[in-house]
Amino acid sequence: MTALSTHYPQHVASVLQHHQDALKTTEYDHAMIFSGGVRYQFQDDRTMPFAANPMFKWWAPLNRHPYSWIQCPADGKPRLFYYQPRDYWHLVPTDPQGYWTEHFDIVVMRSPDEVLKHWPDGRVAVIGELDMIGFDTGGDSDCAELIHRLHWARAGKTDYEIAALKEASMQGARAHTAAREAFERGCSEFDINRAYLAAIDATDFDVPYNNIVALNEHGAVLHYDAPQRDKPSQFRSFLIDAGAEVAGYASDITRTYSANPDLFSDMISAMDEAQLELCNMVTPGRDYVEIHLATHEKVAELLAQFDVIRCSAEQALGSGLTSTFFPHGVGHFLGLQVHDIGGHQATETGGGKPPPSDHPYLRLTRTLTTNAVVTIEPGLYFIDMLLDEHKGTELERDINWDRVAELKPFGGVRIEDNVVASAKGPRNLTREAFAELGA
Ligand code: GLY
Ligand code: MN
Ligand code: MN
């Protein structure tokens, strides 16, 4: 954590600069950024897990602080309206404390609407979940260009953000190691998930997305999130996609294991080699779509190498058959959100850069700039729904159904790392983390 406090002054200066440049260009006097409100279950007093507005937590590691605001003026020091209610039912936030406090003028509020007493004059842009504010601020929430400019800027991470992402990979690697050991002990999915969370003192609500803890065929369910309490009768394979959160920043890591040395473990090794080559493409100036298309080439080669197809790799690529086995994008921006914003933005003022029509699930189509952080997560799965679509079509004969039947009980393989497009070349935070743990 020392690294975070060391890097924070430069980070907050950079966030301030991005806001003030964008405010001046779009002719606002202030931005008011709302942290978010608490939602309740329908007709109940039970709350939903709180998730802070990423535009708020960009400023400071305040991810458990609803009803607070950052006020950023076009010139001058930012203010933090810090909500600390008088409440004996719940644990209230502590007094503001930590390495970030001196960078704000802080106003403590006892009720959410106290912000109105301090509302700035002039043209004010409001950024946040409007329906959760609970009162009319009179500010301008229709500030799309300002928001586009800020989303665009979020792609380039500061040293502070990279340090947080590295620590999130460290925690993820620690928890992944505990999960692998639980798999090797023969635990159920449910108990593997518990071992993962216990290793980093987390609950299911502290991790940045629902952990995917999948044994055997469940590895073919891309967002599998129903960990079973019962153990399977046989342990063949284990796919785990799970991260950790540090100072509001996420890691997003996938590993796949085979219980025995077999055809599937060979496939995992081959995928690992391909994945590392793809990670090496993460450099400033790289069109991310290129990495996605290169992944399809690698998947085609794997399909041929493991006799999953009866046609050539080139033919599988040309016919689109690779998408049957690799039906998602190779990755996305990573940061304050697991799928960080702005992946399809055409320019800093907005506009869309949609994915190629035959790759609709690719979340990132931009050219990488220095210190963009992305995931690289190639996969190869045996998904009945997609395979069945080829039955009775011309592509049916291009599939080696016997091999598919042999590999289907293993579900699928995905390997996912978090990589910085640094000026010195690709920096793989996840491999660094596993190596530092000796795992
Ligand atoms: N864990 C979600 C993803 O890999 O995008
Ligand atoms: Mn993932
Ligand atoms: Mn991911």
Side-chain angles (χ1 to χ4, degrees):
M1 285 300 168
T2 321
L4 289 188
S5 56
T6 309
H7 292 305
Y8 182 75
Q10 181 264 336
H11 168 75
V12 74
S14 151
V15 174
L16 180 64
Q17 191 69 53
H18 285 311
H19 281 74
Q20 293 188 329
D21 289 348
L23 285 166
K24 287 182 185 127
T25 308
T26 53
E27 298 180 344
Y28 282 102
D29 301 303
H30 297 269
M32 288 293 285
I33 304 155
F34 181 55
S35 66
V38 175
R39 290 186 189 276
Y40 289 84
Q41 294 186 358
F42 184 56
Q43 293 187 342
D44 201 340
D45 60 0
R46 184 169 186 205
T47 56
M48 311 268 204
F50 174 71
N53 174 1
M55 298 296 275
F56 176 86
K57 64 176 181 163
W58 195 14
W59 287 87
L62 295 168
N63 43 354
R64 300 280 183 274
H65 294 74
Y67 305 111
S68 293
W69 296 76
I70 298 280
Q71 176 190 346
C72 178
D75 287 294
K77 191 172 179 181
R79 271 176 132 188
L80 168 65
F81 294 97
Y82 186 89
Y83 179 59
Q84 187 190 41
R86 291 196 191 288
D87 177 355
Y88 59 85
W89 292 95
H90 304 99
L91 187 67
V92 297
T94 60
D95 290 344
Q97 55 186 247
Y99 53 79
W100 50 273
T101 50
E102 67 189 85
H103 299 274
F104 300 89
D105 290 329
I106 299 179
V107 178
V108 173
M109 300 190 300
R110 301 299 183 197
S111 70
D113 61 358
E114 265 181 60
V115 70
L116 289 176
K117 284 199 295 198
H118 306 272
W119 197 262
D121 293 331
R123 207 168 159 242
V124 181
V126 178
I127 301 175
E129 276 181 296
L130 301 178
D131 63 317
M132 296 308 293
I133 295 174
F135 45 83
D136 183 15
T137 64
D140 180 9
S141 57
D142 189 14
C143 47
E145 186 186 333
L146 175 73
I147 291 176
H148 286 318
R149 287 177 177 277
L150 295 172
H151 284 172
W152 184 262
R154 267 175 52 190
K157 302 306 194 259
T158 62
D159 290 347
Y160 168 84
E161 293 178 295
I162 291 171
L165 289 162
K166 172 65 189 290
E167 184 57 27
S169 256
M170 286 299 290
Q171 289 202 21
R174 203 169 294 129
H176 268 260
T177 303
R180 177 177 49 73
E181 289 166 0
F183 165 64
E184 288 166 358
R185 287 197 304 277
C187 291
S188 67
E189 292 169 342
F190 189 83
D191 284 336
I192 296 173
N193 189 45
R194 289 212 286 205
Y196 182 96
L197 296 171
I200 50 171
D201 270 339
T203 70
D204 284 306
F205 298 118
D206 297 319
V207 288
Y209 55 92
N210 294 343
N211 288 349
I212 296 169
V213 177
L215 293 171
N216 302 336
E217 292 87 345
H218 294 159
V221 181
L222 297 184
H223 283 172
Y224 178 78
D225 62 355
Q228 301 293 302
R229 286 174 168 78
D230 294 335
K231 295 179 187 187
S233 55
Q234 215 193 347
F235 284 80
R236 290 180 291 274
S237 59
F238 173 41
L239 184 154
I240 173 164
D241 182 344
E245 190 172 294
V246 170
Y249 290 84
S251 56
D252 181 7
I253 301 170
T254 309
R255 290 291 180 268
T256 311
Y257 307 97
S258 196
N260 300 296
D262 50 21
L263 185 67
F264 189 64
S265 66
D266 289 345
M267 184 176 260
I268 295 170
S269 302
M271 178 61 91
D272 194 56
E273 214 172 289
Q275 193 263 4
L276 283 172
E277 286 170 15
L278 295 166
C279 290
N280 275 334
M281 295 179 73
V282 177
T283 48
R286 172 81 66 187
D287 179 351
Y288 192 80
V289 177
E290 258 183 60
I291 307 181
H292 179 77
L293 297 178
T295 309
H296 275 270
E297 288 176 20
K298 296 205 176 290
V299 168
E301 285 160 18
L302 289 176
L303 291 172
Q305 181 186 340
F306 286 86
D307 288 330
V308 178
I309 49 175
R310 295 191 188 283
C311 60
S312 68
E314 293 69 32
Q315 283 167 323
L317 202 56
S319 67
L321 191 52
T322 50
S323 295
T324 299
F325 297 92
F326 171 49
H328 59 76
V330 70
H332 45 86
F333 278 145
L334 179 75
L336 291 159
Q337 295 161 284
V338 175
H339 302 142
D340 224 14
I341 198 88
H344 290 162
Q345 208 169 317
T347 69
E348 66 182 343
T349 57
K353 185 167 182 262
S357 57
D358 39 356
H359 300 274
Y361 299 114
L362 181 60
R363 295 176 193 268
L364 174 54
T365 52
R366 273 167 66 175
T367 296
L368 301 181
T369 48
T370 303
N371 289 342
V373 180
V374 298
T375 67
I376 295 293
E377 48 183 303
L380 197 168
Y381 316 86
F382 301 92
I383 302 173
D384 279 330
M385 188 186 113
L386 300 181
L387 288 161
D388 287 350
E389 284 174 7
H390 298 305
K391 294 203 170 138
T393 76
E394 274 185 17
L395 289 185
E396 181 170 9
R397 63 169 186 271
D398 287 347
I399 296 173
N400 179 354
W401 294 96
D402 292 338
R403 193 58 126 188
V404 165
E406 190 182 344
L407 286 166
K408 208 157 60 173
F410 295 88
V413 50
R414 176 164 71 254
I415 297 175
E416 176 175 25
D417 288 338
N418 306 164
V419 187
V420 186
S422 94
K424 291 191 210 138
R427 180 177 168 205
N428 190 323
L429 302 176
T430 310
R431 299 278 172 159
E432 276 181 18
F434 277 106
E436 284 169 36
L437 290 180

